Amino acid sequence: MTHPDRIDHARALVRAHPELGLRVVVDPDPAGPPTALRTARLAWSAVAAGATHHLVIQDDVTLCPDFLPHLLAAVRSRPEGALSFFTHWGSHLSYAVRLAALEDLSWTEAVGTYLPTVALLMPAQAAAVVAAGIGEAGTRHDDVAVRRVLGANGVPAYVSVRGLVQERGLPSLVGHGGHGLRHNVCFPPPGAPAAWGSAALRPSLLPYFDAADGRIRACRWDEADRMRGRRTDLAAELTDSGFPPKLLHNSLRSHLARRDVRTGLEPALDRTTLHRLWSVAHLLGAVTSGPLRDLGPEAEAALDTLGMGALRLRVPMERLNVLRPALSDLVRAGVRAGSGARADAGGAAVS
């Protein structure tokens, strides 16, 4: 799906991937109010005769190496649901993806009021339902509208740990220019095996760093309605779970005592920001179901993007690129500290 201003990008994507048989759907009213909803309705209506599933890709992406084998393996593992293959690295869903990666899972259930639609696949019957209902969903945002229609019709929604597309960073046409660079939380490297499991994380308590205001929060998701969540204070969640502020301060101070770590992060980042990143990472480790051993490639990749996604609106990207190795080290150490502290407290995951 594309807009006339970006149709060259869409056509280039079609030419680059003849194996997919992609067709271009263009905004029918490009001079109208900025929204992806008009084009999305047409895109979800364009199901090929006899198709079992329907894939919609937005125009501002590149596809991962071996996209088609990954896509087919993913569909075989979860044929019944709507499958999203992009989660931007600073969203609340990115933290669900990170938890799923730490659990060595291929999927997380979607939680919250939207479903990423940058690269989304669903059964053909569900696509027809979305096409019919998307304009009546009471919103101009296609990712919110799709989520509402799927939820109202009982279609399960999942987000993949491996993101199969990467945003190219083109200027937003629908008012998202202030959201900063939004890369995928976990983009697979060339040669990654197309092995997808069917098990999915069911998030309950989800910690996250709110990039908009730099605060740390947690959300408890309704077990009956996965679109509903109750936002709570992360510091309170940590204290209630047996990880009081003093413990976190001490464990962070111990990590920063290493000269290479300290000089890699300070003075570029203040201690408050570092403590918030450490706290989120700590609770991510604490809510995993078992002890963390060697991290798999997806977990490594997902943790590597946490600092970048969290701080992209507060620190220039060129500076973040310099800080990235030290930020990744901080996050991994925080996750391991949280997992270790939970194990020391008796081994039960925080819930």
Side-chain angles (χ1 to χ4, degrees), residues 49 52 79 94 110 132 136 139 167 184 194 297 326 330:
T52 62
S94 71
E136 308 300 322
T139 175
E167 274 206 349
N184 212 319
L330 176 87

Side-chain angles (χ1 to χ4, degrees), residues 24 30 34 68 87 95 121 130 167 171 207 217 221 226 239 253 256 303 305 310 328-329:
V24 177
L68 185 55
T87 309
Y95 292 86
L121 177 143
V130 167
E167 274 206 349
R217 296 190 169 90
W221 296 99
R226 305 303 280 167
T239 298
R253 186 167 60 246
L256 293 177
L303 295 182
T305 62
S328 298
D329 187 48

Side-chain angles (χ1 to χ4, degrees), residues 72-150:
L72 295 176
V75 174
R76 292 188 190 103
S77 74
R78 279 284 176 184
E80 81 290 357
L83 310 179
S84 177
F85 298 105
F86 175 88
T87 309
H88 89 71
W89 56 5
S91 66
H92 77 276
L93 277 172
S94 71
Y95 292 86
V97 166
R98 292 181 179 105
L99 276 176
L102 289 170
E103 301 281 11
D104 199 25
L105 301 174
S106 295
W107 304 98
T108 175
E109 288 187 9
V111 288
T113 57
Y114 75 94
L115 179 66
T117 52
V118 174
L120 181 62
L121 177 143
M122 64 183 70
Q125 289 183 329
V129 170
V130 167
I134 196 172
E136 308 300 322
T139 175
R140 68 181 182 89
H141 301 291
D142 70 315
D143 52 1
V144 176
V146 168
R147 178 71 166 133
R148 289 178 180 176
V149 175
L150 293 174

